[in-house]
Amino acid sequence: MQLRDSNIEKLSRETFDVLIIGGGINGASAAAALAGKGVRVGLIDRGDFAGETSMHSSNLVWGGIKYMESYDFPLVRKLCKSRNHLIKSFPSTVQEIRFLTTIARGFRYHPRYLWAGSWLYWLMGNAFTRIPRFLKPSAIKEREGIIDTRDAIGGFEYSDAYLHDNDARFVFNFVRSALNYGAMAANYVESRGARRENGVWVTRARNVMNDATFEIRSRVLINAAGPWVDQHNESTGQKPGHHHVFSKGIHLIVPRLTDSKRVLAFFADDGRLFFVIPMGQRTCIGTTDTRVENPEVHVTDEDTQFVLDNINKRLQLDKPLGREDIIATRCGVRPLAVKARAGGGRDFLQLSRKHAIDTDDAEAHISIFGGKLTDCLNVGEEIVSEVKRLGVSVPYPDYRWYGEPSESVRKEFLHQAELMDLDAMTAPEASEPLTARLWRRYGTHALDMLEEIREDPRQGELLIEGTEYLRCELGQAQRREMITRLEDFLRRRSKISLVVSNARIRRSPGLMEACEILFGDQARERFDEYFAETPEWTPEKLSPEAEADNPAHSESLNWSNRGFSST
């Protein structure tokens, strides 16, 4: 909390070149780009960073193969180049993954036609990934025995990319980069609207945690509030050229369905691509595409049944998936940018996630509409250009503000880790060596963690068994990751609440110790707050299959204990 409190104090007393409202992927990448190039930046979000749309994605970084059908080739080309650039810039985090797509009899296109399209997709992506392959039903069955191929006429395999960690963690790392470059960011700070006075924006802000109000001054105001961009523009009197329409999407998290590390892709009953995505010891299934009128959404019985019906039709499981197998859900809206005077003639399912940036030159106000994770580097660079055009000095225009630390830093980390035999400390059930995971998540600061372990070997002990968290990682989170509520850690800095049922989290014997590390004297308050606010719609008793796949040595939280308990 110290970092957050310090930043709020500075937000209230300084005048910034730019204030960004919203800490989703658009706001986070814009903040990192501007701060890295020397612009004085403030960033606030009324909830946690990546607390809405940016934490409900499919965790895929893809070039938009679905937009091939609508002949939106310029967008596909741009997204493929962005995907490739992310893979090269974040090799530990954004990694190529194979997609196996099955085509059922009676589908609107023959699989060979779609296979040809996948080759065009591959070429538009500069042949950067592995080549596509056409598959007969027998070859599909050979690769993935759980796919029901009785009604299949063929399929194909192609490559895109995915996030090794969760989407919210990826977004937060941009916020952390902005902080490293001198930005002042704070979560749980709400904008109550803004006014223009003598060439400066004055934003009325409220600290959500204590209801204190203050003002933030900036030369330029950027509205990156995601689904709430339109709402915030109304509060500041802006009339941009775009607005949002909303599509609700949900995913269900269930026990792992297949050991393969590939995405299974189908066309759901509504014609939309439908995925079975690996998530460690779990599988993520979805998504839906339902038009809604506002961004406040939740999972309905109909949503859940749609996903279960679609997956059970397409997989041959020993026992069909049921509601009792659901461990967690993801539910959010896609804000889709449309022109303010556009008609409603286009098929809603064909609307793209293409971003749009509207700038009011006279008022020095910028609004960011739409967008997706794949396009984040483009958003950051375009915002820098717009801010510069508005007269703000950009001291280091050529600075590369994104990507993993240099190879020399990585080699130094690996050398030190090898000297202390760090990988020997990796838990037997871990999904990867400890060196790989610490480097991917913490980069340069992983060196600090090695020093902590050398000084106190207990810092290298598992604090969260099965989910692979060391004691020193909780300390790192407390100091540098602005964790304000328990959900920030369980859902966004990590993905624990996605892979472990809420009831099982609550029963974890060392949970209160983690709260003590993260929140100090407020540990009990934050513990009670989380379980009061987190809905327990999923049945506490999992199916026998889900229970068997959720032992203490696998994904359940068996927190190490130093005398604290959660009772």
Side-chain angles (χ1 to χ4, degrees):
M1 296 288 283
Q2 184 176 353
L3 175 61
R4 178 178 177 272
D5 293 343
S6 172
N7 282 0
I8 287 176
E9 181 183 351
K10 292 173 183 176
L11 283 167
S12 66
R13 70 168 190 249
E14 299 183 18
T15 298
F16 296 89
D17 292 327
V18 176
L19 176 65
I20 300 172
I21 310 295
I25 187 58
N26 288 338
S29 58
L34 290 165
K37 294 175 183 288
V39 178
R40 189 68 176 154
V41 178
L43 170 67
I44 60 174
D45 194 294
R46 69 176 183 179
D48 189 26
F49 306 118
E52 295 295 342
T53 293
S54 293
M55 74 171 185
H56 295 301
S57 79
S58 298
N59 275 7
L60 300 178
V61 178
W62 60 310
I65 193 170
K66 65 167 280 189
Y67 305 133
M68 300 281 288
E69 186 176 4
S70 56
Y71 306 110
D72 203 344
F73 297 132
L75 175 61
V76 173
R77 170 70 173 159
K78 182 178 181 181
L79 291 177
C80 282
K81 290 173 64 178
S82 299
R83 176 204 63 196
N84 298 348
H85 198 36
L86 285 170
I87 292 173
K88 290 185 288 188
S89 301
F90 298 92
S92 299
T93 300
V94 183
Q95 300 172 345
E96 181 178 349
I97 192 170
R98 294 296 271 179
F99 284 63
L100 194 163
T101 305
T102 303
I103 307 301
R105 197 177 313 277
F107 188 65
R108 59 185 180 271
Y109 298 115
H110 191 277
R112 288 194 180 275
Y113 179 82
L114 296 175
W115 174 57
S118 72
W119 271 89
L120 178 58
Y121 183 66
W122 180 70
L123 291 170
M124 292 177 74
N126 293 339
F128 183 79
T129 59
R130 294 165 57 192
I131 63 173
R133 293 184 181 277
F134 178 79
L135 300 173
K136 295 180 179 179
S138 58
I140 294 173
K141 194 68 174 177
E142 182 180 344
R143 282 169 168 76
E144 287 290 347
I146 67 169
I147 296 178
D148 187 346
T149 58
R150 290 172 296 183
D151 196 40
I153 56 172
F156 58 98
E157 197 172 45
Y158 70 100
S159 288
D160 258 314
Y162 80 115
L163 294 171
H164 197 106
D165 276 321
N166 63 329
D167 45 10
R169 177 78 201 186
F170 181 71
V171 173
F172 174 76
N173 283 343
F174 281 113
V175 177
R176 185 61 252 182
S177 293
L179 290 167
N180 292 344
Y181 296 134
M184 294 299 146
N187 52 2
Y188 297 99
V189 174
E190 178 186 22
S191 168
R192 290 292 192 84
R195 64 186 185 277
R196 188 86 170 153
E197 288 184 355
N198 301 319
V200 173
W201 279 101
V202 180
T203 299
R204 301 184 302 279
R206 180 179 74 93
N207 184 340
V208 174
M209 302 307 293
N210 62 14
D211 211 34
T213 58
F214 57 98
E215 293 183 337
I216 308 173
R217 298 178 176 274
S218 63
R219 294 174 58 193
V220 175
L221 186 64
I222 297 179
N223 180 0
W228 290 273
V229 163
D230 298 320
Q231 185 181 49
H232 197 273
N233 277 338
E234 289 179 9
S235 72
T236 55
Q238 291 293 307
K239 298 187 186 317
H242 290 82
H243 68 93
H244 278 144
V245 296
F246 305 111
S247 165
K248 182 177 78 168
I250 79 155
H251 297 86
L252 305 182
I253 313 298
V254 300
R256 186 170 60 189
L257 300 179
T258 174
D259 292 335
S260 72
K261 295 183 179 178
R262 61 165 64 92
V263 176
L264 308 184
F266 308 94
F267 286 92
D269 291 346
D270 65 358
R272 179 181 170 81
L273 274 170
F274 185 84
F275 299 115
V276 176
I277 306 167
M279 186 184 279
Q281 297 292 329
R282 301 287 179 253
T283 294
C284 178
I285 308 169
T287 177
T288 58
D289 197 345
T290 308
R291 182 157 187 172
V292 293
E293 295 303 317
N294 65 72
E296 305 288 348
V297 294
H298 64 279
V299 178
T300 66
D301 289 341
E302 291 79 9
D303 296 328
T304 303
Q305 199 59 50
F306 176 87
V307 174
L308 292 175
D309 288 346
N310 271 275
I311 199 59
N312 286 325
K313 283 181 184 178
R314 290 157 177 83
L315 299 183
Q316 284 185 316
L317 303 172
D318 294 337
K319 174 180 172 292
L321 285 173
R323 294 171 186 268
E324 69 277 7
D325 295 298
I326 301 170
I327 296 166
T329 63
R330 315 178 88 169
C331 178
V333 294
R334 308 170 188 89
L336 306 171
V338 296
K339 296 223 171 142
R341 290 176 295 279
R346 188 174 181 184
D347 182 355
F348 176 71
L349 292 177
Q350 295 296 329
L351 286 176
S352 79
R353 299 287 301 278
K354 179 164 39 176
H355 73 267
I357 296 174
D358 285 354
T359 303
D360 183 335
D361 291 9
E363 298 272 292
H365 184 282
I366 300 172
S367 301
I368 309 176
F369 297 88
K372 58 188 298 171
L373 289 167
T374 311
D375 212 19
C376 62
L377 301 186
N378 292 324
V379 170
E381 292 291 351
E382 290 173 28
I383 288 297
V384 170
S385 296
E386 286 299 288
V387 166
K388 185 176 181 179
R389 194 175 61 76
L390 291 174
V392 173
S393 173
V394 180
Y396 307 102
D398 298 325
Y399 184 78
R400 190 175 187 268
W401 51 275
Y402 54 85
E404 293 182 8
S406 68
E407 182 63 16
S408 62
V409 176
R410 189 180 77 90
K411 286 182 177 179
E412 178 63 24
F413 167 75
L414 293 176
H415 180 62
Q416 291 193 29
E418 185 176 3
L419 289 175
M420 60 191 291
D421 201 13
L422 182 68
D423 280 345
M425 302 166 58
T426 305
E429 70 277 7
S431 59
E432 61 184 330
L434 201 48
T435 50
R437 190 174 65 79
L438 292 184
W439 174 255
R440 184 182 68 252
R441 292 181 64 85
Y442 305 105
T444 303
H445 295 284
L447 285 161
D448 301 333
M449 302 172 81
L450 295 185
E451 181 64 21
E452 290 182 48
I453 295 170
R454 282 193 293 264
E455 291 180 358
D456 178 8
R458 294 174 68 258
Q459 293 300 316
E461 296 174 354
L462 279 176
L463 184 61
I464 310 175
E465 188 175 326
T467 52
E468 305 175 35
Y469 275 83
L470 306 182
R471 194 176 303 280
C472 61
E473 291 183 80
L474 269 291
Q476 177 91 186
Q478 187 274 330
R479 292 189 302 273
R480 306 190 70 253
E481 297 190 357
M482 214 174 294
I483 293 172
T484 307
R485 291 176 164 167
L486 184 55
E487 183 190 11
D488 303 341
F489 175 71
L490 293 177
R491 175 62 180 84
R492 287 177 286 277
R493 307 302 183 271
S494 74
K495 58 184 179 185
I496 292 170
S497 66
L498 281 178
V499 298
V500 183
S501 69
N502 195 46
R504 192 172 290 270
I505 291 174
R506 185 166 195 158
R507 295 197 302 266
S508 303
L511 180 58
M512 187 56 71
E513 178 187 356
C515 290
E516 290 276 359
I517 294 172
L518 293 171
F519 307 116
D521 293 343
Q522 296 182 357
R524 171 56 66 178
E525 179 184 350
R526 294 290 166 249
F527 178 94
D528 292 341
E529 172 189 68
Y530 177 79
F531 289 104
E533 294 181 356
T534 306
E536 294 199 34
W537 71 272
T538 302
E540 282 201 16
K541 183 171 178 56
L542 301 177
S543 70
E545 292 80 5
E547 192 71 37
D549 193 47
N550 200 20
H553 64 272
S554 175
E555 287 286 353
S556 66
L557 299 184
N558 187 356
W559 306 59
S560 297
N561 200 321
R562 289 191 300 172
F564 297 97
S565 71
S566 59
T567 57

